[in-house]
Amino acid sequence: MATLFPSRAAAQTEADSLFQAPSKSVLGIPEGITDLEVDQEGNIYLLQTKKHRIYKFFEMTEFDSIQVIGGKGIGEEGFNFPSKVTVPNRQSVFILDQMNRRLVQLNTNLRVIKDIDFLTLESKLLTADVESFWPISFVVGPSGELFFLNQEDIKIYKFTTAGTLERAFGGVDYGAGSLSEPYDIVMNSANLVFAVDSTHQKVSIFDLYGTYQYALSFPLEFRWKRLSTFDDNLLFLGEKEIFLYNIFSKKGQTIRFERKEKLVDAVGGKDFIYLLFENQVDLYPLSSQK
């Protein structure tokens, strides 16, 4: 049986033993949560796309205290179909406000710091022969640079922290690194960018400079719908199962969950793996001492 967590959880031998039972569950979460994120303090962020809201559950109060921001609107704190949330550091929360065509940067108190207007970025792309810029996903790099997956040409655009276009990669004519139907991009702790194509059950990997590295595809017994990363591991999520794969050992294992609620999202944190089901978030400790 494969050991999937050599970098941090060597004491945790088997993936199935890791997921035997959660050490904690956050109950009573709102209906329709589509995205999960966790910051370095263990606070939980939940995105409710159809209600245009983001919720923050505070770890220090055992997740009993909640802060909410949003509601449909075009004002500073209004959203229109927000589709992704990420917390790349201790200071910032980023939300892709898709139909308002902007990326919103909040502080950890959920106050707006700034927003990045995609129409403004689009004007900077005219010299690159980009006619329409409609990002469907993004990641934040280690120095604050921004990577956007543009649905119009299936390319990934990298902007500096000053908002200058640095490079574009991917698309349908990028040689071995050509992309077909990616819907998401994620980044791991080694700063590799993963273009996620659940339609073809394939992941294409690039470095920070857009250089194609390799692709991964798996003949799994279930169809995975999204990808999450933590440390050296990839988590492929189905509706009732996950496949954990270690990119160094090149070994993986499928874990099934015998429950009626569907699995929605997963995040690896400092001490826990967080699994979002339709009605709760389960915390699984990464250390056998928890």
Side-chain angles (χ1 to χ4, degrees), residues 191-216:
N191 297 322
L192 294 173
V193 179
F194 296 75
V196 185
D197 183 349
S198 60
T199 299
H200 297 92
Q201 301 285 275
K202 177 182 176 182
V203 180
S204 300
I205 298 98
F206 303 84
D207 66 14
L208 286 176
Y209 306 101
T211 304
Y212 174 70
Q213 303 297 301
Y214 56 92
L216 292 172

Side-chain angles (χ1 to χ4, degrees), residues 186-256:
V186 299
M187 183 176 288
N188 72 349
S189 57
N191 297 322
L192 294 173
V193 179
F194 296 75
V196 185
D197 183 349
S198 60
T199 299
H200 297 92
Q201 301 285 275
K202 177 182 176 182
V203 180
S204 300
I205 298 98
F206 303 84
D207 66 14
L208 286 176
Y209 306 101
T211 304
Y212 174 70
Q213 303 297 301
Y214 56 92
L216 292 172
S217 58
F218 299 97
L220 301 179
E221 61 270 31
F222 69 93
R223 289 192 62 83
W224 53 268
K225 57 184 180 179
R226 66 190 304 173
L227 170 68
S228 180
T229 69
F230 77 100
D231 283 350
D232 305 326
N233 303 288
L234 307 180
L235 287 80
F236 295 89
L237 279 67
E239 292 188 346
K240 300 286 185 177
E241 56 279 293
I242 59 176
F243 180 73
L244 276 73
Y245 178 80
N246 184 271
I247 59 177
F248 288 111
S249 70
K250 298 182 180 179
K251 296 180 179 179
Q253 183 176 345
T254 297
I255 306 298
R256 299 187 182 280

Side-chain angles (χ1 to χ4, degrees), residues 110-137:
L110 300 188
R111 300 298 182 189
V112 176
I113 300 174
K114 67 177 181 179
D115 62 8
I116 299 170
D117 180 59
F118 294 155
L119 287 174
T120 301
L121 292 185
E122 189 175 79
S123 66
K124 298 180 180 181
L125 294 173
L126 293 176
T127 56
D129 295 325
V130 179
E131 295 182 358
S132 184
F133 189 62
W134 280 89
I136 54 174
S137 184

